[in-house]
Amino acid sequence: MRLSFRPDVDYLRAIAVFSVIGFHYDVPGFGGGFVGVDIFFVISGFLISRLIWADIRIDSFSFVNFYERRARRLLPALYVVLLATGICAWHLAPPHDYRAFFESAVATLLFGSNIYFWSQAGYFDLPGISKVLLHTWSLSVEEQFYFVFPLATWLWSKCFRDPSSRWSLLLVVGGAVGLCVLDELMIKQQAQAAFYLSPLRAWEFLIGGVVYLAERWSPSDFRIRCAFALAGLAAMLLPVALFSPETRFPGVHALVPCLGAALFIFAFNGEGSRPPLPAEAAGLFFGKISYSLYLWHWPVFVLGTAALPRDWATGPAASGLFLLCSIVLACVTYRLVEAPARATVMWRELRITSLIAVASSLLIAIASVGIIGNGYPNRYPQAQQRMLRYDSAALVPYYRQHVCFLDRQEPISVYRSSECLAFAADRKNVLIVGDSTAAHYIPALQDYFAATHYELLQLNSAGCAPLLGLHQDGSSNCNEVTARIGELIRSRRLSAIIISAHWRAYLHGQLPPSAATASERADYTTPALDAYLSATLATANDADLPVLLFGPSIEFPVPLASSLVSRDLTHFPPDKSFVALDASFAADDHLRQLSRRYENVRFISVLRAACPNRICPLTANTDTPIVWDTLHLTPEGSHYVIERLKPQLDGFFRSDEEAPSSLGPRAAAGVPQ
């Protein structure tokens, strides 16, 4: 059954896609543009409900026809974007990123990229080519909804002859409310699951379904319809401007743009004069190409950013160029691929769906070979392969990850106390605590302490500030880890403790994923963190425990290894990609001043030791970067830094041997403060 064209829906699509693009392109005023995805979900719920119920009412609904239409609508354009992205990534992506691209491509082709990116979400995540298909998570959520919703709707039609009856509507609304509440509750425990998983997003589609089922109650008065449309527009645009990545989301906050989209659609239901649409022609045009534009905008941005020097790729001119390229590609894709596939069932005596199935199988096969080939490292000369050899998986044994260094998702039960807190009876025991920027010193510190009378113990948790009393919900284990740190400090079984963390991030307001309420944000200001760090150092002071406080680590604005290789390939002049962050040096000065309040604390400036005149090294040796991403040291980088800290380490631990119960203010002669 052919349904009447709804210009308001295309207009709404334009609002949604430009909200997302503005957010991804970091356009001022679009800090909450991610709500565009939620608007898309409401649109999909409305349109699919409209399509299915229209066929059910005339007894012509067919599951086969429904899925065939969905395949022709969504998949051909997606396959073109996947193929083009893979070809471009061949020239730009390091091997581990290229392998991750192939993995995400397979997940996308199997309608499960939301599950893939949920499972891959981790502490070492960085925006880059490995995430060039990240935006397809929402497409997979929609596709999973399409698998379930037609059957559910058909069964619903057997229970309710009139789906728009009050009881039917009441049950659907109740289901949407219940799922929204569940989504809100899940944010606290599993924020990533609440964001990515389709069952926890289903309520947004149901809101769209409710708008269709409630069509008979749509206003007919022109002024009321205009008021509904205006209120809906405000409820969508205000979150775009006022929300931010720190907003607790989705959950209850997602209700605002979803209800806004529902109100907007509701205003255009029924007959009669419809509200005017500002810049209607432009809105309808971009709404028509919105799907192709959504598919292209993120790969263009990611690949364009990777191809250009950072100084060129981060300005408004580059964003404008990326947007223009995305629009041109979207127009071409819509004209040559999307529109013909939607309008055509047969092509040269072959069903379009058969061609789609063959194309899908070929793309899965190509991507599978890329995974088996480990991202084709032989594309690069041997020296560059070595420069790119480290990634998060390769560093697991060096950092003792999943043993003494826990990921955010891992419960405390994963931690192996028997290996990581193996107190030695015949040696002095030193504990290193902190997040990944403590763990990345482990390769070198193990070698350093092997030649001393000290036993190195380790208790690290990703993204977990080692601050006593600070409640941190961004991790499944952090609060238990910090509680155990407090117990160990007070146990008087330690001879010293080393504290290291990503101080630049903590002192400059970088929140953990779930810290979005006002009270949680208050705990992540510099004065509050000063108080928690002071309390931690005071606890050690009360226990007569010497503290070695490591300052901020070397940190670059973009992944260093791939930037070095890109520089070699393109011969672009060095830019700010190779300059350590000024904020790290500011945090270093701040911590140095704070540490002077405590006689038992020795502050070591990693940046002063490793970066003379604020010029940080890029490599640990001829073919190894100092850090493998933006922040975390390679094993060779770890040894490079610790070698430069050795005089200060020797001074600290020599003083401890001379005065094991305490370190006076000048006990460690020669240790700079």
Side-chain angles (χ1 to χ4, degrees):
M1 178 178 179
R2 188 172 182 83
L3 300 173
S4 60
F5 172 65
R6 290 285 301 261
D8 56 298
V9 172
D10 267 1
Y11 194 85
L12 199 56
R13 284 175 170 147
I15 292 174
V17 75
F18 277 106
S19 297
V20 174
I21 292 173
F23 172 70
H24 282 158
Y25 286 19
D26 202 22
V27 177
F30 284 80
F34 51 83
V35 304
V37 170
D38 305 270
I39 296 171
F40 273 128
F41 289 164
V42 175
I43 294 171
S44 294
F46 171 76
L47 291 177
I48 296 305
S49 297
R50 185 174 181 237
L51 178 67
I52 294 175
W53 280 113
D55 284 345
I56 287 176
R57 284 193 172 105
I58 61 174
D59 199 27
S60 66
F61 176 71
S62 165
F63 287 101
V64 173
N65 289 341
F66 173 83
Y67 288 118
E68 182 182 44
R69 285 197 298 264
R70 289 296 90 198
R72 288 190 285 111
R73 167 74 175 88
L74 298 175
L75 300 183
L78 172 65
Y79 292 172
V80 168
V81 173
L82 289 178
L83 185 61
T85 301
I87 292 171
C88 293
W90 170 276
H91 301 284
L92 296 169
H96 49 81
D97 280 357
Y98 205 30
R99 177 191 168 94
F101 161 75
F102 284 126
E103 292 173 348
S104 63
V106 170
T108 301
L109 291 163
L110 296 177
F111 316 123
S113 67
N114 61 320
I115 298 172
Y116 171 80
F117 287 115
W118 168 57
S119 68
Q120 293 295 308
Y123 186 61
F124 294 113
D125 282 352
L126 286 169
I129 298 177
S130 65
K131 304 287 185 181
V132 71
L133 299 180
L134 179 62
H135 65 314
T136 64
W137 76 268
S138 61
L139 182 59
S140 290
V141 169
E142 288 207 29
E143 290 161 337
Q144 291 159 21
F145 172 76
Y146 297 152
F147 285 136
V148 176
F149 191 70
L151 177 60
T153 303
W154 182 79
L155 292 173
W156 199 260
S157 72
K158 303 302 179 183
C159 300
F160 293 93
R161 184 170 298 177
D162 179 10
S164 61
S165 66
R166 294 183 185 275
W167 276 110
S168 174
L169 267 175
L170 186 63
L171 289 173
V172 176
V173 170
V177 170
L179 288 172
C180 179
V181 171
L182 178 62
D183 192 24
E184 175 69 21
L185 294 174
M186 280 295 292
I187 295 175
K188 195 74 171 176
Q189 300 300 322
Q190 291 287 340
Q192 297 287 350
F195 187 87
Y196 281 113
L197 299 188
S198 54
L200 297 171
R201 291 286 195 149
W203 63 272
E204 302 182 30
F205 295 91
L206 290 179
I207 286 177
V210 168
V211 175
Y212 170 73
L213 295 178
E215 186 174 16
R216 69 169 72 170
W217 289 283
S218 299
S220 56
D221 183 272
F222 178 72
R223 289 172 297 179
I224 296 176
R225 298 179 79 175
C226 287
F228 274 38
L230 188 61
L233 201 60
M236 289 183 288
L237 296 182
L238 284 175
V240 170
L242 300 179
F243 285 5
S244 72
E246 284 74 43
T247 301
R248 185 184 180 90
F249 203 85
V252 173
H253 282 99
L255 265 176
V256 180
C258 287
L259 292 178
L263 273 176
F264 189 85
I265 297 171
F266 195 63
F268 290 84
N269 278 347
E271 302 297 329
S273 299
R274 62 178 179 84
L277 296 171
E280 181 172 355
L284 296 185
F285 170 75
F286 286 112
K288 183 173 62 176
I289 66 168
S290 60
Y291 177 60
S292 291
L293 184 55
Y294 181 81
L295 289 178
W296 279 114
H297 85 279
W298 184 241
V300 167
F301 179 81
V302 171
L303 296 171
T305 300
L308 296 174
R310 177 174 170 79
D311 291 349
W312 299 1
T314 54
S319 295
L321 177 62
F322 297 155
L323 177 59
L324 180 61
C325 289
S326 299
I327 291 173
V328 171
L329 289 169
C331 290
V332 172
T333 304
Y334 178 82
R335 180 69 179 271
L336 300 182
V337 180
E338 186 182 345
R342 292 170 63 181
T344 307
V345 177
M346 303 290 294
W347 183 76
R348 296 188 179 181
E349 300 183 355
L350 292 172
R351 293 190 70 85
I352 294 295
T353 48
S354 298
L355 295 175
I356 290 172
V358 171
S360 177
S361 300
L362 286 174
L363 289 173
I364 290 174
I366 292 170
S368 299
V369 172
I371 295 171
I372 295 169
N374 220 20
Y376 302 112
N378 291 333
R379 290 176 292 142
Y380 292 95
Q382 192 67 32
Q384 293 176 345
Q385 289 183 45
R386 286 189 55 77
M387 188 69 73
L388 295 167
R389 67 189 183 277
Y390 288 120
D391 60 10
S392 58
L395 270 297
V396 167
Y398 293 100
Y399 291 4
R400 303 179 78 189
Q401 202 168 353
H402 314 305
V403 180
C404 306
F405 167 40
L406 301 180
D407 282 347
R408 279 175 169 155
Q409 295 83 8
E410 292 176 329
I412 192 66
S413 58
V414 173
Y415 183 74
R416 299 183 195 173
S417 297
S418 59
E419 296 182 38
C420 311
L421 294 177
F423 284 85
D426 58 342
R427 308 178 75 187
K428 295 183 178 182
N429 297 283
V430 177
L431 174 67
I432 181 168
V433 299
D435 53 25
S436 58
T437 58
H440 70 185
Y441 293 116
I442 289 297
L445 286 178
Q446 284 181 317
D447 290 345
Y448 174 81
F449 283 112
T452 68
H453 299 294
Y454 291 88
E455 182 72 21
L456 180 64
L457 313 178
Q458 182 183 0
L459 176 54
N460 302 142
S461 174
C464 178
L467 303 175
L468 303 187
L470 174 60
H471 189 77
Q472 302 174 72
D473 287 327
S475 163
S476 298
N477 57 67
C478 184
N479 294 320
E480 293 166 288
V481 166
T482 53
R484 188 170 295 189
I485 290 172
E487 294 170 1
L488 290 166
I489 289 175
R490 289 183 284 265
S491 70
R492 297 184 181 271
R493 300 178 64 191
L494 299 170
S495 295
I497 185 170
I498 301 172
I499 302 177
S500 180
H502 191 190
W503 301 119
R504 193 277 308 165
Y506 298 137
L507 289 169
H508 289 80
Q510 180 172 310
L511 305 179
S514 65
T517 67
S519 61
E520 287 170 325
R521 281 195 295 269
D523 278 343
Y524 282 83
T525 60
T526 298
L529 285 173
D530 281 358
Y532 285 113
L533 179 56
S534 295
T536 303
L537 299 178
T539 301
N541 191 67
D542 293 342
D544 291 327
L545 179 64
V547 176
L548 192 59
L549 180 63
F550 277 25
S553 298
I554 302 169
E555 185 174 6
F556 296 94
V558 294
L560 180 63
S562 56
S563 296
L564 288 170
V565 170
S566 177
R567 184 185 66 179
D568 290 343
L569 293 175
T570 62
H571 302 291
F572 283 130
D575 59 13
K576 293 180 181 178
S577 300
F578 306 106
V579 178
L581 297 180
D582 286 338
S584 297
F585 290 93
D588 193 72
D589 293 337
H590 182 83
L591 285 174
R592 180 184 297 104
Q593 294 298 324
L594 187 146
S595 68
R596 287 175 174 166
R597 305 174 190 171
Y598 301 93
E599 292 184 352
N600 67 319
V601 176
R602 287 295 168 268
F603 178 77
I604 286 189
S605 174
V606 174
L607 296 175
R608 281 194 178 185
C611 307
N613 300 317
R614 294 198 170 198
I615 300 174
C616 294
L618 302 179
T619 58
N621 55 43
T622 55
D623 56 6
T624 306
I626 192 78
V627 297
W628 60 271
D629 53 2
T630 60
L631 171 71
H632 299 97
L633 296 169
T634 59
E636 291 84 352
S638 180
H639 282 87
Y640 179 97
V641 171
I642 293 300
E643 181 64 29
R644 280 146 187 80
L645 297 180
K646 190 175 183 299
Q648 300 179 59
L649 294 174
D650 290 345
F652 177 85
F653 289 107
R654 188 182 307 116
S655 297
D656 181 47
E657 290 177 351
E658 295 170 357
S661 63
S662 174
L663 279 176
R666 293 178 176 79
V671 179
Q673 291 288 302

